[in-house]
Amino acid sequence: MEEYRIRVLSPDGTEKHVRELDPPAGMPLFLVGGPRRMEVGPLGDCREATFEGDPLTLGIGPRDTVQVQYRTDAGPWLNRYAGTAVITGSSRSEVGRYKLQGLRYRRLTEVEARTLLPEADLGAQVRRLFTDLIASGQLGGTLQAPTQESVPDLNVTSAAIHGNYWAAAKLLDERLRGRSRQTRTYLNADGSTQSRDVNPEWGVNADLQPVFGYPAGTLVIDEAEFGVEIDGMDTDSTTLVTDVRVMFTRTMTAQFLLTEVGGQDGEGGTIISTPARSTAPQTISVPVAPRTFGEAWRTLPLPTAPELFTTLPGDGVSARAFYFTGPVDPLPPVTVTGDPAALWDGTLTGGLTLAPPDGNTVFLYYLTVSIPPGTPIPDGFRLVVPGASLSGLTVRTPAGQMRMGTVSAGAPPMYVFPDVVRSEHLPAIWADGANVEFVLAPFDRAAPLLVSELSLIGVNRALVEASAFPLARTPTLNPVTARLPGWNHRPAGAAQLTLRGPLGEVIETRELPIELLVYDTDDDGELFTEVRCGQRDEAEALSFTAVISARDQNATTDAVQAST
C-alpha cells in the first residue's frame, strides 16, 4: 500500500506543519483527487506541480515551500517533489487551486550570485556557487548544502567566473552548464544506434538539495508487467537549430579605417578603406547539430566579458610622445617605469607608468607593443588606462599596416574588433610578428600616466562553443510515454522499453533518453508515474512555446544588433 502526505515550510525554510491523509492527531490532509502532475526531471530536479484542496486544512501560504512525501507499506517517508507555492487557494473557497514551481524555475531566478568562482573542476565550481548562495542568506534555510554525490566532479576544468550579480539560474544555464558535454548512445528498435550530445542537467531535488551533472541509470519498462502501458507521442519539429551565430554585445568603432597591403608609410601598396563608423558586430559561427533536417540558425548575444577571451602576450613595449611645447630636436624620451609583462598578465596590479621629461607637456602618447611571431590574429584588445582616452590604433606588420582613428568602444576595458576588422583588414596584413601602436590622450598633460593593462586578446573558442551547444534543437524520432503503477520509480537517465503484442510476443526493444517523470493520481486515487522519453512535452504545447520563445529571442537579438 502506498500513501502520501505534504510537508509545508515557510519562505525562510522553517517547518510550519505536516498534513497526512489519516493522522493520529491534528488536521487531516484534504486534496481533491490527490496530487496531480508533479513533474521531475531525469536528474531528480523538480519542475512544476498542480493540485486542488481545502485552503484551511492545507495551510499553504504564498511562497511557502511544499514537499510531497510518500511511503510504501508503512516504510520510511521519502520525498518525491518539492517546490515553491506561486499560486495558492483563497481562504474563502471550499476548494483552492495550487501551483508549485521547483526552486530552479522560481527562487533561483530571483536570487543573485555575488562571489568569484575560482578556476576549478566544473562540479567543484557549482558546489562553491551554491555554498556561497546559501551563505548569502537570500534563500533563508530552504536550500540544503550540495554534496559530492549531488554535484559530482565532472573532470572538466572550468575557467574562473565572477557572479557579477547574475541571477543564479541564468549563470548556471548560460555560462556554466555549457562547459561540459557528453555523447550518449541509444538503441533503436531496428538494432541500430543513435548518438546525442548533451550538457549537464541541474536543479533542486525533492530533498531541497542542489543537483548538477548527468542523469545515470536505466529504467527498465516492459509491457509484460502488470499495469504498464506504452504509447507513442506526436513528434514536435517546430524548433530547429543546427547553427548558432554568437554575437558579442559591444564592439569598437572608428571614424576612419585604412589598410595598406604590401607597403608601409606611403611606400606603395594597395589601400583598403572602410566607410566611417562601421558598426558591424563581431560574430562567430558555431555548428551545433547535424543538418539532417535542414539548416537553421539562431543568434546568441554574449557579453564582452574577460572570461570569454584569452590574453595574447607581447614581448616588449616602447613609448614616445608628441609634446605641446613645439618641435624639439631630438625628441626628449618618455620616462617608462615598471614591468612590461604586467600589461598582459590578466590582472590590474602593476603596469607601466609613462612620464614626460621635466618641462614638457604631453599632447599624445604613442605606446607600441611588440607581438611575437606565431601569434594568432587578435579579436580585440584589453586596455585599462584610467587617466587617458584611446585616440587611435595602428597595426604594422611586414605585409602592411592598418590604422583606425578616433576610436570609440563603449565602456573599457574590453575592446572587440568588428567583423570588418577581424575578418577582412587584419587577415590581409597579419604575418609573423607585428607592432601594435596605441595612441593615448592623457587627461592631465603634465602628470605621469599609469597603464594597468594593455594586451591583445583572442576569443576562447571552447567557452564560446560551450555557450552555443545547449541551443541545438532537432526533432526526436518516435518519442514515447509510458505509464507505470505507483510512485516507486526513481529518476534515471534513460529508459529501456519493451513493446509486446496481444499474445505477449516482443514487438520491439529500444532505448530513449528520459526527459520527464510525472508523479500523479488517477480518478480512483491510485498512484501512477508517467515517464516521457525522447520529448518532454506534447507536440502542441511545444509548438506554442516555441513561437513565444522565438519572439522573445528575436526581440533581444534585434536590440543587440541595433546597438552595435
Side-chain angles (χ1 to χ4, degrees):
M1 175 184 175
E2 292 185 324
E3 58 179 330
Y4 58 84
R5 69 181 188 183
I6 67 169
R7 176 175 180 247
V8 182
L9 310 176
S10 65
D12 65 2
T14 304
E15 181 174 301
K16 293 173 66 174
H17 52 257
V18 174
R19 296 282 187 259
E20 299 183 15
L21 286 172
D22 188 19
M27 289 187 178
L29 172 63
F30 177 70
L31 296 181
V32 177
R36 306 305 298 260
R37 298 203 57 79
M38 298 183 296
E39 299 178 351
V40 177
L43 196 65
D45 52 301
C46 298
R47 299 182 179 178
E48 189 169 283
T50 56
F51 56 89
E52 295 181 342
D54 175 20
L56 293 179
T57 59
L58 291 179
I60 300 173
R63 294 308 183 104
D64 282 349
T65 298
V66 179
Q67 283 182 299
V68 180
Q69 303 174 327
Y70 95 108
R71 66 179 178 180
T72 303
D73 298 327
W77 288 102
L78 304 174
N79 296 315
R80 244 324 152 236
Y81 178 87
T84 300
V86 295
I87 296 178
T88 53
S90 168
S91 59
R92 294 181 176 272
S93 302
E94 291 185 8
V95 176
R97 295 182 300 108
Y98 294 83
K99 176 184 284 188
L100 310 177
Q101 289 183 326
L103 269 68
R104 167 182 175 175
Y105 300 93
R106 179 51 50 196
R107 292 297 290 125
L108 292 177
T109 67
E110 300 168 333
V111 297
E112 58 187 18
R114 299 172 177 172
T115 56
L116 171 70
L117 303 178
E119 180 178 299
D121 182 273
L122 179 58
Q125 210 173 45
V126 173
R127 290 195 299 273
R128 172 69 177 270
L129 170 63
F130 281 112
T131 300
D132 291 349
L133 189 63
I134 292 170
S136 75
Q138 299 176 74
L139 294 167
T142 303
L143 190 64
Q144 304 303 301
T147 65
Q148 187 80 33
E149 181 180 1
S150 68
V151 184
D153 288 344
L154 295 180
N155 299 319
V156 174
T157 299
S158 178
I161 184 171
H162 201 290
N164 205 27
Y165 307 109
W166 281 49
K170 184 179 179 68
L171 184 66
L172 282 156
D173 270 329
E174 298 186 15
R175 304 302 296 280
L176 293 176
R177 181 171 171 258
R179 294 185 176 184
S180 180
R181 195 176 187 217
Q182 287 186 2
T183 300
R184 298 289 178 93
T185 302
Y186 302 96
L187 178 68
N188 293 324
D190 61 3
S192 63
T193 59
Q194 60 174 313
S195 297
R196 180 182 182 188
D197 290 336
V198 293
N199 298 100
E201 300 283 349
W202 76 276
V204 177
N205 64 18
D207 298 323
L208 293 172
Q209 191 170 56
V211 289
F212 185 96
Y214 294 94
T218 301
L219 185 59
V220 178
I221 302 175
D222 191 331
E223 281 192 315
E225 297 179 10
F226 177 77
V228 174
E229 300 175 8
I230 301 177
D231 294 311
M233 296 175 66
D234 294 337
T235 300
D236 169 69
S237 59
T238 308
T239 303
L240 178 67
V241 178
T242 61
D243 298 83
V244 173
R245 175 77 60 186
V246 176
M247 180 181 295
F248 288 100
T249 55
R250 186 178 70 244
T251 54
M252 66 182 301
T253 60
Q255 292 293 350
F256 66 85
L257 177 59
L258 299 175
T259 299
E260 186 176 359
V261 181
Q264 295 186 33
D265 300 324
E267 298 178 0
T270 302
I271 302 295
I272 303 173
S273 63
T274 297
R277 297 194 63 80
S278 170
T279 58
Q282 178 173 148
T283 65
I284 296 174
S285 60
V286 181
V288 296
R291 295 175 175 176
T292 307
F293 301 96
E295 181 177 344
W297 289 78
R298 174 172 169 179
T299 298
L300 171 65
L302 285 182
T304 308
E307 58 267 17
L308 293 177
F309 295 84
T310 57
T311 299
L312 306 177
D315 62 2
V317 176
S318 61
R320 61 188 180 91
F322 180 75
Y323 300 98
F324 264 121
T325 52
V328 179
D329 189 19
L331 288 174
V334 174
T335 302
V336 181
T337 57
D339 182 6
L343 295 180
W344 45 76
D345 65 0
T347 71
L348 297 181
T349 59
L352 291 185
T353 299
L354 311 179
D358 292 341
N360 289 281
T361 305
V362 172
F363 177 53
L364 295 172
Y365 283 106
Y366 296 82
L367 190 60
T368 301
V369 179
S370 299
I371 306 301
T375 300
I377 295 174
D379 295 298
F381 57 93
R382 188 177 187 211
L383 174 65
V384 180
V385 191
S389 62
L390 180 65
S391 294
L393 174 68
T394 302
V395 178
R396 293 186 178 89
T397 76
Q401 66 177 347
M402 181 192 76
R403 291 194 301 128
M404 288 182 281
T406 315
V407 175
S408 63
M414 302 297 295
Y415 295 79
V416 178
F417 296 137
D419 278 348
V420 68
V421 172
R422 185 177 61 98
S423 302
E424 299 175 25
H425 287 259
L426 280 177
I429 65 167
W430 198 263
D432 286 346
N435 290 311
V436 183
E437 181 183 75
F438 298 88
V439 183
L440 306 175
F443 302 141
D444 187 336
R445 312 292 185 177
L449 179 65
L450 174 64
V451 183
S452 299
E453 192 78 12
L454 181 57
S455 62
L456 297 183
I457 56 175
V459 170
N460 187 325
R461 184 85 186 193
L463 291 185
V464 169
E465 290 179 349
S467 299
F469 280 128
L471 301 180
R473 294 291 183 273
T474 56
T476 299
L477 297 180
N478 300 319
V480 302
T481 179
R483 174 172 167 149
L484 314 177
W487 286 359
N488 193 26
H489 309 284
R490 297 184 61 83
Q496 179 183 300
L497 303 145
T498 301
L499 281 70
R500 298 182 179 270
L503 301 179
E505 71 278 14
V506 175
I507 298 176
E508 66 176 49
T509 298
R510 59 190 303 215
E511 190 175 283
L512 282 173
I514 293 177
E515 301 289 348
L516 187 71
L517 293 92
V518 181
Y519 299 103
D520 206 340
T521 55
D522 61 20
D523 293 338
D524 296 326
E526 295 295 324
L527 310 185
F528 71 91
T529 303
E530 182 182 309
V531 183
R532 296 198 169 186
C533 305
Q535 183 172 286
R536 172 179 167 179
D537 296 313
E538 299 289 351
E540 189 68 26
L542 285 170
S543 178
F544 178 78
T545 302
V547 172
I548 302 299
S549 299
R551 183 190 65 187
D552 294 342
Q553 194 270 333
N554 288 338
T556 301
T557 302
D558 291 345
V560 170
Q561 289 173 325
S563 64
T564 54

